[in-house]
Coordinates of all heavy atoms in Angstrom, one line a residue:
R1125 N 50.0 -128.5 -127.1 CA 48.9 -128.6 -128.0 C 47.6 -127.9 -127.5 O 47.0 -127.2 -128.2 CB 48.6 -130.1 -128.3 CG 47.4 -130.3 -129.2 CD 47.1 -131.8 -129.3 NE 46.7 -132.4 -128.1 CZ 45.5 -132.3 -127.5 NH1 44.6 -131.6 -128.1 NH2 45.3 -132.9 -126.3
K1126 N 47.3 -128.2 -126.2 CA 46.1 -127.6 -125.6 C 46.2 -126.1 -125.5 O 45.2 -125.4 -125.6 CB 45.9 -128.2 -124.2 CG 45.4 -129.6 -124.3 CD 45.3 -130.2 -122.9 CE 44.8 -131.6 -122.9 NZ 44.7 -132.2 -121.5
A1127 N 47.4 -125.5 -125.4 CA 47.6 -124.1 -125.2 C 47.6 -123.4 -126.6 O 47.0 -122.3 -126.8 CB 48.9 -123.7 -124.5
Q1128 N 48.2 -124.0 -127.6 CA 48.5 -123.3 -128.8 C 47.4 -123.4 -129.9 O 47.2 -122.6 -130.7 CB 49.8 -123.6 -129.4 CG 51.0 -123.2 -128.4 CD 52.3 -123.4 -129.1 OE1 52.5 -123.3 -130.3 NE2 53.4 -123.5 -128.2
D1129 N 46.7 -124.6 -129.8 CA 45.6 -124.8 -130.8 C 44.5 -123.7 -130.7 O 44.2 -123.1 -131.8 CB 45.0 -126.2 -130.6 CG 44.2 -126.6 -131.8 OD1 44.4 -126.1 -132.9 OD2 43.3 -127.5 -131.6
P1130 N 44.0 -123.3 -129.5 CA 43.0 -122.3 -129.4 C 43.6 -120.9 -129.9 O 42.9 -120.1 -130.4 CB 42.6 -122.2 -128.0 CG 43.0 -123.6 -127.4 CD 44.2 -124.0 -128.2
E1131 N 44.9 -120.7 -129.6 CA 45.5 -119.4 -130.0 C 45.6 -119.3 -131.5 O 45.4 -118.1 -132.0 CB 46.9 -119.3 -129.4 CG 46.9 -119.1 -127.9 CD 48.3 -118.9 -127.3 OE1 49.3 -119.3 -127.9 OE2 48.3 -118.5 -126.1
I1132 N 45.8 -120.4 -132.2 CA 45.7 -120.3 -133.7 C 44.4 -119.8 -134.2 O 44.3 -119.0 -135.1 CB 46.0 -121.7 -134.3 CG1 47.5 -122.1 -134.1 CG2 45.7 -121.7 -135.8 CD1 47.8 -123.5 -134.5
T1133 N 43.3 -120.3 -133.6 CA 42.0 -119.9 -133.9 C 41.8 -118.4 -133.7 O 41.2 -117.7 -134.5 CB 40.9 -120.7 -133.1 OG1 41.1 -122.1 -133.4 CG2 39.5 -120.2 -133.5
T1134 N 42.3 -117.9 -132.5 CA 42.1 -116.5 -132.2 C 42.9 -115.6 -133.1 O 42.4 -114.6 -133.7 CB 42.6 -116.3 -130.7 OG1 41.8 -117.0 -129.8 CG2 42.5 -114.8 -130.4
L1135 N 44.2 -116.0 -133.4 CA 45.1 -115.2 -134.3 C 44.5 -115.2 -135.7 O 44.5 -114.1 -136.3 CB 46.4 -115.9 -134.3 CG 47.3 -115.7 -133.0 CD1 48.4 -116.8 -133.0 CD2 47.9 -114.3 -132.9
S1136 N 44.0 -116.3 -136.2 CA 43.4 -116.4 -137.5 C 42.1 -115.5 -137.6 O 41.9 -114.8 -138.6 CB 43.0 -117.8 -137.9 OG 44.2 -118.6 -137.9
G1137 N 41.4 -115.5 -136.5 CA 40.2 -114.6 -136.5 C 40.6 -113.1 -136.5 O 39.9 -112.3 -137.2
W1138 N 41.6 -112.7 -135.9 CA 42.1 -111.3 -135.9 C 42.5 -111.0 -137.4 O 42.1 -109.9 -137.9 CB 43.3 -111.1 -135.0 CG 43.0 -111.2 -133.6 CD1 41.7 -111.1 -133.0 CD2 43.9 -111.4 -132.5 NE1 41.9 -111.2 -131.6 CE2 43.2 -111.4 -131.3 CE3 45.3 -111.6 -132.5 CZ2 43.8 -111.6 -130.1 CZ3 45.9 -111.7 -131.2 CH2 45.1 -111.7 -130.0
L1139 N 43.2 -111.8 -138.0 CA 43.7 -111.6 -139.4 C 42.5 -111.4 -140.3 O 42.5 -110.6 -141.2 CB 44.6 -112.7 -139.9 CG 46.0 -112.7 -139.2 CD1 46.7 -114.0 -139.6 CD2 46.8 -111.5 -139.6
A1140 N 41.5 -112.3 -140.1 CA 40.3 -112.2 -141.0 C 39.6 -110.9 -140.8 O 39.1 -110.2 -141.7 CB 39.4 -113.4 -140.7
T1141 N 39.4 -110.5 -139.5 CA 38.8 -109.2 -139.2 C 39.5 -108.0 -139.8 O 38.9 -107.1 -140.2 CB 38.7 -109.0 -137.6 OG1 37.9 -110.1 -137.1 CG2 38.0 -107.7 -137.3
W1142 N 40.8 -108.1 -139.8 CA 41.7 -107.0 -140.3 C 41.8 -107.0 -141.8 O 42.4 -106.1 -142.4 CB 43.1 -107.1 -139.7 CG 43.1 -107.0 -138.2 CD1 42.2 -106.4 -137.4 CD2 44.1 -107.4 -137.3 NE1 42.6 -106.5 -136.1 CE2 43.8 -107.1 -136.0 CE3 45.4 -108.1 -137.5 CZ2 44.5 -107.4 -134.9 CZ3 46.1 -108.4 -136.4 CH2 45.7 -108.1 -135.1
G1143 N 41.3 -108.1 -142.4 CA 41.4 -108.2 -143.9 C 42.8 -108.5 -144.3 O 43.3 -108.2 -145.4
E1144 N 43.6 -109.3 -143.4 CA 44.9 -109.6 -143.7 C 45.0 -111.1 -144.0 O 44.2 -111.9 -143.5 CB 45.8 -109.3 -142.5 CG 45.8 -107.9 -142.1 CD 46.6 -107.0 -143.0 OE1 47.2 -107.5 -144.0 OE2 46.6 -105.7 -142.8
Q1145 N 46.0 -111.5 -144.8 CA 46.2 -112.9 -145.2 C 47.1 -113.6 -144.2 O 48.1 -113.0 -143.7 CB 46.8 -113.0 -146.6 CG 45.9 -112.5 -147.7 CD 44.7 -113.3 -147.9 OE1 44.7 -114.6 -147.8 NE2 43.5 -112.7 -148.1
A1146 N 46.8 -114.8 -143.9 CA 47.7 -115.6 -143.0 C 48.8 -116.2 -143.9 O 48.6 -116.5 -145.0 CB 46.9 -116.8 -142.3
Q1147 N 50.0 -116.4 -143.3 CA 51.1 -117.0 -144.0 C 50.9 -118.5 -143.9 O 50.5 -119.0 -142.9 CB 52.4 -116.5 -143.4 CG 52.7 -115.1 -143.6 CD 54.1 -114.7 -143.0 OE1 54.9 -115.5 -142.6 NE2 54.3 -113.4 -142.9
G1148 N 51.4 -119.2 -144.9 CA 51.3 -120.6 -144.9 C 52.6 -121.3 -144.8 O 53.7 -120.6 -144.8
G1149 N 52.6 -122.6 -144.7 CA 53.8 -123.4 -144.7 C 54.7 -123.1 -143.4 O 54.2 -122.8 -142.4
H1150 N 56.0 -123.0 -143.7 CA 56.9 -122.8 -142.6 C 57.5 -121.4 -142.8 O 58.7 -121.2 -142.6 CB 58.0 -123.8 -142.5 CG 57.5 -125.2 -142.3 ND1 56.9 -125.5 -141.1 CD2 57.5 -126.3 -143.1 CE1 56.5 -126.8 -141.2 NE2 56.9 -127.3 -142.3
A1151 N 56.7 -120.4 -143.1 CA 57.1 -119.0 -143.3 C 57.8 -118.5 -142.1 O 57.4 -118.6 -141.0 CB 55.9 -118.2 -143.7
G1152 N 58.9 -117.8 -142.4 CA 59.6 -117.1 -141.3 C 60.4 -117.9 -140.4 O 60.9 -117.5 -139.3
H1153 N 60.7 -119.2 -140.7 CA 61.4 -120.1 -139.8 C 62.8 -119.6 -139.4 O 63.3 -119.8 -138.3 CB 61.5 -121.5 -140.3 CG 62.4 -121.7 -141.5 ND1 61.9 -121.6 -142.8 CD2 63.7 -121.9 -141.6 CE1 62.9 -121.8 -143.6 NE2 64.0 -121.9 -142.9
S1154 N 63.5 -118.9 -140.3 CA 64.8 -118.5 -140.1 C 64.9 -117.3 -139.0 O 65.9 -117.1 -138.4 CB 65.5 -118.0 -141.4 OG 64.8 -116.9 -141.9
M1155 N 63.8 -116.6 -138.8 CA 63.7 -115.5 -137.9 C 63.0 -115.8 -136.6 O 63.2 -115.1 -135.6 CB 63.1 -114.3 -138.5 CG 63.8 -113.7 -139.7 SD 63.1 -112.2 -140.4 CE 61.5 -112.8 -140.9
S1156 N 62.2 -116.9 -136.5 CA 61.4 -117.1 -135.4 C 61.7 -118.4 -134.6 O 60.9 -118.8 -133.8 CB 59.9 -117.1 -135.8 OG 59.7 -118.1 -136.8
G1157 N 62.8 -119.0 -134.9 CA 63.1 -120.3 -134.3 C 62.4 -121.5 -134.8 O 62.4 -122.6 -134.2
M1158 N 61.7 -121.3 -135.9 CA 61.0 -122.5 -136.5 C 62.0 -123.5 -137.1 O 63.1 -123.1 -137.5 CB 60.0 -122.0 -137.6 CG 58.8 -121.3 -137.0 SD 57.6 -120.8 -138.3 CE 57.0 -122.4 -138.9
M1159 N 61.6 -124.7 -137.2 CA 62.4 -125.8 -137.7 C 62.4 -125.7 -139.2 O 61.4 -125.4 -139.8 CB 61.9 -127.2 -137.3 CG 61.8 -127.4 -135.8 SD 63.3 -127.1 -134.9 CE 63.1 -125.4 -134.3
T1160 N 63.5 -126.1 -139.8 CA 63.6 -126.3 -141.3 C 62.9 -127.6 -141.6 O 62.6 -128.5 -140.8 CB 65.0 -126.4 -141.8 OG1 65.6 -127.5 -141.3 CG2 65.8 -125.1 -141.4
G1161 N 62.5 -127.8 -142.9 CA 61.9 -129.0 -143.3 C 62.8 -130.2 -143.1 O 62.3 -131.3 -142.7
E1162 N 64.1 -130.0 -143.2 CA 65.1 -131.1 -143.0 C 65.1 -131.5 -141.5 O 65.1 -132.7 -141.1 CB 66.5 -130.7 -143.4 CG 67.5 -131.8 -143.2 CD 68.9 -131.3 -143.6 OE1 69.0 -130.2 -144.1 OE2 69.9 -132.1 -143.5
E1163 N 65.0 -130.5 -140.6 CA 65.0 -130.8 -139.2 C 63.7 -131.5 -138.8 O 63.8 -132.5 -137.9 CB 65.1 -129.5 -138.4 CG 66.5 -128.9 -138.4 CD 66.6 -127.5 -137.7 OE1 65.6 -126.7 -137.9 OE2 67.6 -127.2 -137.0
M1164 N 62.6 -131.1 -139.3 CA 61.4 -131.8 -139.0 C 61.4 -133.2 -139.5 O 60.9 -134.2 -138.9 CB 60.2 -131.0 -139.7 CG 59.9 -129.7 -139.0 SD 59.3 -129.9 -137.3 CE 57.8 -130.9 -137.5
E1165 N 62.0 -133.4 -140.7 CA 62.1 -134.8 -141.2 C 62.9 -135.7 -140.3 O 62.6 -136.8 -140.1 CB 62.6 -134.7 -142.7 CG 62.7 -136.1 -143.3 CD 63.2 -136.0 -144.8 OE1 63.4 -134.9 -145.3 OE2 63.5 -137.1 -145.4
Q1166 N 64.1 -135.1 -139.9 CA 65.0 -135.9 -139.0 C 64.3 -136.2 -137.7 O 64.5 -137.3 -137.2 CB 66.2 -135.1 -138.8 CG 67.1 -135.0 -140.0 CD 68.3 -134.1 -139.8 OE1 68.4 -133.4 -138.8 NE2 69.2 -134.0 -140.8
L1167 N 63.5 -135.3 -137.2 CA 62.8 -135.5 -135.9 C 61.8 -136.6 -136.1 O 61.7 -137.5 -135.2 CB 62.1 -134.2 -135.4 CG 61.3 -134.3 -134.1 CD1 62.3 -134.6 -133.0 CD2 60.5 -133.1 -133.8
G1168 N 61.1 -136.7 -137.2 CA 60.1 -137.7 -137.5 C 60.7 -139.1 -137.6 O 60.0 -140.1 -137.5
Q1169 N 62.0 -139.2 -137.9 CA 62.7 -140.5 -138.0 C 63.2 -141.0 -136.7 O 63.6 -142.2 -136.7 CB 63.8 -140.3 -139.0 CG 63.4 -140.0 -140.5 CD 64.5 -139.7 -141.4 OE1 65.7 -139.6 -140.9 NE2 64.2 -139.6 -142.7
K1170 N 63.1 -140.2 -135.7 CA 63.6 -140.7 -134.4 C 62.5 -141.3 -133.5 O 61.3 -141.0 -133.7 CB 64.3 -139.5 -133.6 CG 65.5 -139.0 -134.3 CD 66.1 -137.8 -133.6 CE 67.2 -137.1 -134.3 NZ 68.4 -138.1 -134.6
S1171 N 62.9 -142.0 -132.5 CA 61.9 -142.5 -131.5 C 62.6 -142.8 -130.2 O 63.9 -142.8 -130.2 CB 61.2 -143.8 -132.1 OG 62.2 -144.8 -132.3
G1172 N 61.8 -143.0 -129.2 CA 62.4 -143.3 -127.9 C 63.2 -142.2 -127.3 O 62.9 -141.0 -127.4
R1173 N 64.3 -142.6 -126.6 CA 65.1 -141.6 -125.9 C 65.7 -140.6 -126.9 O 65.9 -139.4 -126.6 CB 66.2 -142.3 -125.1 CG 67.0 -141.4 -124.2 CD 68.0 -142.2 -123.4 NE 68.8 -141.4 -122.6 CZ 68.5 -141.0 -121.3 NH1 67.3 -141.4 -120.8 NH2 69.3 -140.2 -120.6
A1174 N 66.1 -141.0 -128.1 CA 66.7 -140.1 -129.1 C 65.7 -139.1 -129.5 O 66.1 -137.9 -129.7 CB 67.2 -141.0 -130.3
F1175 N 64.5 -139.5 -129.6 CA 63.4 -138.5 -130.0 C 63.3 -137.5 -128.9 O 63.2 -136.3 -129.1 CB 62.1 -139.2 -130.3 CG 61.0 -138.3 -130.5 CD1 60.7 -137.8 -131.8 CD2 60.2 -137.8 -129.4 CE1 59.7 -136.9 -132.0 CE2 59.2 -136.8 -129.7 CZ 58.9 -136.4 -131.0
D1176 N 63.2 -138.0 -127.6 CA 63.0 -137.1 -126.5 C 64.0 -136.0 -126.5 O 63.7 -134.8 -126.3 CB 63.0 -137.9 -125.2 CG 61.9 -138.9 -125.0 OD1 60.9 -138.7 -125.8 OD2 62.0 -139.7 -124.2

Side-chain angles (χ1 to χ4, degrees):
R1125 179 186 60 79
K1126 289 178 179 178
Q1128 297 192 23
D1129 196 22
E1131 288 180 347
I1132 291 173
T1133 301
T1134 300
L1135 291 159
S1136 299
W1138 291 342
L1139 289 170
T1141 299
W1142 300 337
E1144 302 285 357
Q1145 295 294 320
Q1147 296 182 8
H1150 299 297
H1153 68 266
S1154 62
M1155 295 185 296
S1156 61
M1158 287 181 69
M1159 305 302 99
T1160 64
E1162 182 179 359
E1163 287 174 320
M1164 288 297 297
E1165 183 178 354
Q1166 291 174 351
L1167 181 64
Q1169 293 172 353
K1170 299 180 185 297
S1171 62
R1173 188 178 179 86
F1175 175 89
D1176 294 345

